[in-house]
């Protein structure tokens, strides 16, 4: 082989090798350069991001429900607050076998098989990252046992949170309501309102939503904003330790201050005892509601963790209806309390208050015989109000007519609802000719107002129905005498004063006519003829009440289907009303008391009204100053007797109860 041929082949092979080496070196250099660039990017550019992701693998944030805002009475007394609550939860994302975890924890806490099945279903229907309550309200011993054995319980954790607490049990239950677990219906409504993304707080097992009363109507400001707890977790998600420095504090809900007075409210519920009824008290100067009780009541604390079915069914099936707010939603005939408004309507139309009628019991009108409770004899209007004579007001009702009686009733607050910040009010019925035409649209034969319906309306019967809040508003407007004040229940939210929902206008009634009714209501409690004279004595010196009793027929008396007074079957008896205000000469407080199926208003409702009113009067510093008389100084010398005078007998003769300043003592009630 020639040398030139050999060297040419070697040179060619070397050239190929060099080219390949160059290409490979270039590729390696580009790769090394890319690797260095990527490392630089990870370290310098995206270092913070990946550091955060790394920390997320080690730390978790767990939502912490905010403390719910407190509800206070007018004097700062807590009527809804929060207390520590020991609870045990299960988290599906921390355990592979929910049933096995529940079996293990059931060895520590008493959990029935039915409860296990319920919890298994609840865990399956709850988002994976959302814990589910196994038990709450645990004792310290139970809480400690779970904590000690925590390493053996996958997915189980014991925590301390807060639970809603109602210090007075049932005294405020109908007004402030209660909180309970969020229902699926409420979750669906929240999703619809928030565009399919409800507040995550609503899924937290420790969160409770307002269900009734103030808790429901002011749920959002009471709710607050959730916080977060930073915890270190292991690879399975189990909490290793907490990191308080990284916690996000929850924002407590706003405090709500009501106009209610806890002392008056508690006394009102107390005086009802086992009876059924309602009581509402207002300040006649500004409309503040001091008391709003429905009896019997229920313990709102039972509903916070979910009321036991036996407890709920016992309440629902009791004939005294403890779940019904009788102060707002219970509708009843006003009975003789309506006569105060009929009197004013008649006076506005020119009725002579000195006109008399003679009551002998039965009263014939057309082919129907109406009846009065007693044979009152001959009475004028003042005496007819004080003695509550039906015969007199059968005639007055016919004079006034349904439309004018209804117009006066609406002027004093009947037939309407008030913006007091809580739901559940019912308007009731104030009938007139237009109402009857609309109510009986499908039955033209009954659209006409018949003359025989008017006498019944004149004594607060027939189709007329009211609730206790309306009658208290009526009484407060009569006592005020000038202004159509409206009730107010919510004083402030988060420190911001809340004004009444509707401005108070003028009553639009002749002051002399209002004064006449005030005198007659004074007579009810302080004249011998008055229906309430035996049961309304306050025993507070010169401070006395004015009022009006009402016995409202609830069933027909024919055929044994009803009973007049406090006799016969409870649910067939008359309803008892008493409306009042005090002091009679300078009104401060108005009160309406209903005793459902209590019989006569003077006998059943008036004594309870007296006891409730005494609490309000004795708490008022200005009124106490009128009542409290300083004891004489035992060391003081008696004054010298004038010459020629005889010694006193030493017997103190009590002064008679004072009449209002505008009462003419020379006018006889009859």
């Amino acid at each position: 082989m020639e040398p030139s041929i050999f060297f040419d082949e070697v040179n060619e092979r070397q050239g190929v090798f060099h080219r390949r080496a160059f290409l490979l070196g270039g590729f390696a250099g580009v790769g090394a350069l890319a690797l260095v660039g990527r490392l630089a990017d990870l370290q310098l550019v995206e270092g913070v991001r990946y550091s955060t992701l790394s920390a997320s693998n080690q730390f978790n944030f767990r939502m912490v429900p905010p403390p719910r805002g407190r509800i206070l009475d007018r004097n700062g007394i807590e009527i809804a607050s929060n207390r520590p609550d020991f609870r045990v939860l299960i988290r599906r994302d921390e355990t592979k076998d929910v049933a096995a975890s529940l079996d293990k924890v059931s060895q520590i806490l008493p959990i029935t098989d039915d409860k296990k099945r319920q919890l298994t279903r609840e865990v399956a229907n709850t988002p994976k990252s959302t814990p589910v309550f196994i038990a709450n309200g645990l004792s310290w011993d139970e809480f400690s046992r779970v904590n000690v054995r925590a390493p053996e319980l996958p997915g189980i954790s014991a925590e301390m949170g807060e639970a809603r607490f109602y210090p007075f049990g049932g005294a405020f239950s109908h007004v402030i309501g209660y909180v309970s677990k969020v229902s699926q219906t409420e979750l669906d409504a929240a999703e619809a309102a928030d565009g399919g993304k409800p507040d995550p707080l609503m899924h937290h097992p420790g969160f409770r939503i307002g269900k009734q009363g103030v808790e429901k109507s002011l749920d959002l400001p009471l709710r607050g904003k959730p916080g977060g707890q930073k915890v270190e977790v292991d690879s399975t998600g189990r909490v290793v330790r907490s990191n308080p420095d990284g916690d996000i504090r929850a924002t407590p809900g706003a405090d709500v201050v009501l106009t209610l007075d806890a002392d008056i409210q508690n006394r009102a519920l107390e005086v009802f005892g086992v009876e059924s009824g309602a009581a509402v008290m207002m300040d006649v100067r500004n409309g503040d509601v001091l008391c709003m009780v429905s009896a019997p009541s229920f313990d709102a604390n039972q509903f916070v963790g979910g009321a036991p079915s036996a407890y709920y069914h016992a309440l629902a099936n009791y004939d005294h209806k403890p779940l019904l707010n009788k102060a707002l939603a219970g509708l009843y005939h006003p009975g003789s309390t309506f006569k105060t408004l009929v009197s004013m309507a008649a006076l506005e139309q020119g009725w002579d208050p000195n006109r008399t009628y003679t009551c002998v019991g039965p009263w014939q009108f057309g082919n129907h015989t109406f009846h009065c409770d007693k044979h009152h004899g001959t009475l004028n209007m003042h005496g007819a109000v004080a003695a509550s004579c039906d015969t007199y007001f059968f005639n007055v009702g016919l004079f006034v007519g349904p439309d004018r009686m209804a117009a006066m009733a609406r002027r004093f607050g009947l037939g309407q609802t008030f913006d007091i910040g809580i739901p559940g009010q019912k308007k009731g019925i104030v009938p007139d000719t237009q109402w009857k035409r609309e109510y009986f649209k499908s039955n033209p034969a009954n659209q006409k107002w018949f003359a025989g319906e008017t006498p019944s309306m004149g004594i607060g019967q027939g189709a007329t129905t009211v609730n206790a809040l309306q009658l208290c508003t009526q009484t407060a407007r009569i006592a005020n005498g000038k202004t159509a004040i409206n009730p107010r229940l919510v004083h402030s939210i988060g420190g911001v004063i809340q004004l009444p929902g509707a401005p108070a206008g003028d009553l639009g009634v002749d002051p002399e006519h209002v004064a006449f009714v005030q005198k007659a209501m004074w007579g009810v409690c302080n004249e011998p003829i008055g229906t309430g004279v035996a049961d309304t004595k306050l025993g507070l010196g010169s401070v006395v009440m004015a009022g009006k009793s009402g016995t409202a027929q609830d069933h027909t008396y024919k055929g044994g289907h009803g009973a007049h007074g406090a006799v016969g079957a409870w649910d067939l008896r008359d309803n008892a009303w008493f409306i009042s205000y005090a002091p009679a000469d300078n009104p401060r407080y108005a009160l309406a008391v209903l005793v459902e199926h209590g019989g006569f208003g003077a006998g059943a409702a008036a004594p309870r009204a007296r006891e409730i009113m005494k609490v309000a009067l004795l708490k008022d510093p200005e009124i106490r100053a009128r009542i409290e008389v300083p004891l004489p100084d035992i060391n003081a010398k008696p004054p010298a007797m004038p010459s020629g005078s005889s010694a006193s007998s030493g017997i103190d003769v009590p002064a008679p109860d004072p009449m209002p300043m505008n009462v003419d003592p020379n006018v006889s009630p009859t």
Side-chain angles (χ1 to χ4, degrees):
M1 179 181 294
E2 294 183 6
S4 59
I5 297 175
F6 175 79
F7 287 115
D8 288 342
E9 184 178 352
V10 171
N11 290 336
E12 184 178 353
R13 290 177 179 178
Q14 287 179 341
V16 171
F17 173 79
H18 287 307
R19 287 194 298 271
R20 290 177 178 175
F22 178 78
L23 290 174
L24 290 173
F27 285 130
V30 171
L33 185 62
L35 180 60
V36 171
R38 181 57 177 161
L39 289 173
D41 179 63
L42 291 174
Q43 291 291 328
L44 301 177
V45 179
E46 298 192 37
V48 176
R49 173 171 173 263
Y50 284 102
S51 176
T52 302
L53 291 175
S54 176
S56 297
N57 291 330
Q58 184 181 8
F59 294 98
N60 281 340
F61 270 97
R62 291 186 169 178
M63 182 182 292
V64 177
R68 194 168 177 85
R70 300 175 302 163
I71 302 177
L72 312 171
D73 86 333
R74 64 190 299 110
N75 300 310
I77 297 174
E78 291 184 351
I79 54 181
S81 58
N82 306 298
R83 65 178 176 184
D85 180 47
F86 297 120
R87 55 188 64 157
V88 175
L89 306 95
I90 183 170
R91 288 179 167 83
R92 184 153 58 104
D93 57 354
E94 296 180 6
T95 179
K96 297 179 180 179
D97 191 339
V98 172
S101 296
L102 291 175
D103 287 337
K104 289 182 179 180
V105 78
S106 66
Q107 298 173 8
I108 306 173
L109 301 175
I111 303 176
T112 63
D113 291 339
D114 288 341
K115 179 67 172 177
K116 289 180 189 177
R117 287 190 288 269
Q118 176 189 342
L119 288 170
T120 302
R121 291 192 299 268
E122 192 172 347
V123 170
N125 295 327
T126 302
K128 192 173 182 180
S129 59
T130 301
V132 172
F133 270 169
I134 295 176
N136 63 334
L138 301 180
S139 67
W140 175 254
D141 288 341
E142 292 171 326
F143 181 71
S144 300
R145 288 200 301 269
V146 175
N147 268 317
V148 168
R149 297 184 59 181
E152 310 169 23
L153 305 172
I156 305 297
S157 61
E159 299 178 356
M160 187 182 78
E162 287 189 338
R164 199 60 159 169
F165 176 60
Y166 302 101
F168 295 101
F172 295 88
S173 296
H174 293 96
V175 182
I176 63 176
Y178 58 90
V179 297
S180 192
K181 187 177 179 181
V182 183
S183 67
Q184 188 59 48
T185 302
E186 289 163 334
L187 280 174
D188 294 341
E191 288 183 4
D194 297 335
K197 294 181 179 180
D199 187 348
L201 181 62
M202 298 190 69
H203 288 284
H204 194 281
F207 175 70
R208 294 291 182 266
I209 195 170
K211 296 287 186 177
Q212 288 184 0
V214 175
E215 293 277 30
K216 180 178 181 179
S217 62
L218 299 179
D219 182 68
L220 287 179
L222 285 167
R223 188 181 297 182
K225 295 182 179 179
Q229 181 186 22
K230 188 176 182 181
V231 293
E232 186 177 352
V233 297
D234 58 19
S235 59
T236 64
R238 180 177 296 278
V239 176
V240 176
R241 65 179 61 87
S242 60
N243 181 10
D245 294 337
D247 289 352
I248 300 174
R249 293 178 61 87
T251 303
D255 285 348
V256 173
V257 179
L258 304 182
T259 60
L260 298 176
D261 186 296
D263 294 325
I264 303 173
Q265 185 87 359
N266 280 291
R267 181 58 176 156
L269 183 62
E270 182 181 56
V271 300
F272 275 97
V274 298
E275 293 290 348
S276 174
V280 181
M281 176 180 279
M282 288 172 56
D283 188 321
V284 306
R285 298 164 295 181
N286 54 25
D288 282 357
V289 178
L290 305 180
C291 160
M292 186 182 290
V293 163
S294 179
S297 189
F298 59 92
D299 186 359
N301 292 300
Q302 295 287 339
F303 288 80
V304 175
S309 59
Y311 179 75
Y312 180 82
H313 287 304
L315 294 174
N317 296 327
Y318 185 34
D319 60 359
H320 283 36
K321 301 177 183 177
L323 295 176
L324 173 67
N325 186 350
K326 300 179 183 71
L328 300 180
L331 296 177
Y332 310 88
H333 302 303
S336 295
T337 63
F338 196 71
K339 293 172 183 175
T340 57
L341 303 181
V342 177
S343 297
M344 270 187 281
L347 294 171
E348 291 283 293
Q349 298 303 315
W351 179 272
D352 181 2
N354 293 317
R355 184 175 179 178
T356 62
Y357 282 96
T358 301
C359 170
V360 296
W363 182 77
Q364 192 72 27
F365 184 73
N367 61 357
H368 183 76
T369 301
F370 294 84
H371 293 272
C372 186
D373 284 342
K374 298 180 180 179
H375 298 186
H376 290 103
T378 302
L379 298 171
N380 62 11
M381 180 175 273
H382 177 98
V385 174
S388 200
C389 177
D390 287 349
T391 298
Y392 194 95
F393 282 94
F394 290 148
N395 289 280
V396 177
L398 288 171
F399 171 81
V400 177
D403 290 341
R404 290 170 179 167
M405 285 191 285
M408 184 61 69
R410 295 187 185 102
R411 194 175 297 180
F412 279 81
L414 305 190
Q416 60 184 278
T417 59
F418 303 99
D419 184 7
I420 59 173
I422 60 175
Q425 297 180 62
K426 289 188 177 179
K427 285 186 176 182
I429 299 173
V430 178
D432 55 16
T433 54
Q434 181 181 355
W435 168 84
K436 196 167 185 191
R437 285 193 298 269
E438 294 177 354
Y439 188 80
F440 290 100
K441 278 183 178 179
S442 59
N443 189 356
N446 286 328
Q447 287 184 323
K448 178 184 176 182
W449 184 277
F450 298 100
E453 297 175 89
T454 305
S456 292
M457 185 176 178
I459 62 168
Q461 294 286 163
T464 310
T465 56
V466 300
N467 62 43
L469 177 63
Q470 291 171 342
L471 272 193
C472 185
T473 303
Q474 168 192 319
T475 310
R477 292 181 179 184
I478 292 173
N480 182 287
K482 298 178 181 179
T483 306
I485 60 172
N486 290 301
R488 182 180 73 146
L489 179 64
V490 180
H491 176 268
S492 65
I493 303 174
V496 179
I497 303 298
Q498 305 296 300
L499 299 176
D506 187 78
L507 274 177
V509 180
D510 190 325
E512 291 187 3
H513 299 156
V514 178
F516 177 89
V517 172
Q518 290 175 340
K519 295 182 206 177
M521 292 178 70
W522 179 90
V524 170
C525 299
N526 299 283
E527 292 179 352
I529 197 176
T531 57
V533 68
D535 298 291
T536 57
K537 296 300 182 185
L538 295 171
L540 301 178
S542 64
V543 177
V544 298
M545 287 201 304
K548 182 70 191 79
S549 61
T551 303
Q553 183 179 342
D554 199 41
H555 296 274
T556 177
Y557 299 144
K558 295 180 180 179
H561 295 296
H564 188 44
V567 297
W570 175 81
D571 59 339
L572 299 180
R573 299 176 185 176
D574 295 334
N575 294 315
W577 284 104
F578 197 81
I579 59 174
S580 60
Y581 63 85
D585 56 351
N586 184 21
R588 294 287 184 89
Y589 306 109
L591 174 64
V593 174
L594 162 76
V595 180
E596 191 177 25
H597 305 306
F600 294 108
R608 291 176 168 85
R610 176 193 65 215
E611 295 305 311
I612 299 169
M613 186 66 78
K614 284 174 70 172
V615 178
L617 295 172
L618 290 171
K619 290 195 69 174
D620 190 309
E622 294 183 15
I623 296 175
R624 283 185 67 93
R626 288 182 54 179
I627 299 168
E628 296 173 344
V629 179
L631 292 173
D633 185 356
I634 60 175
N635 297 317
K637 294 181 178 181
M641 296 292 295
S643 60
S645 64
S646 59
S648 169
S649 64
I651 300 175
D652 293 330
V653 179
D657 291 333
M659 298 177 69
M661 295 179 62
N662 52 7
V663 174
D664 184 354
N666 298 315
V667 176
S668 169
T670 58

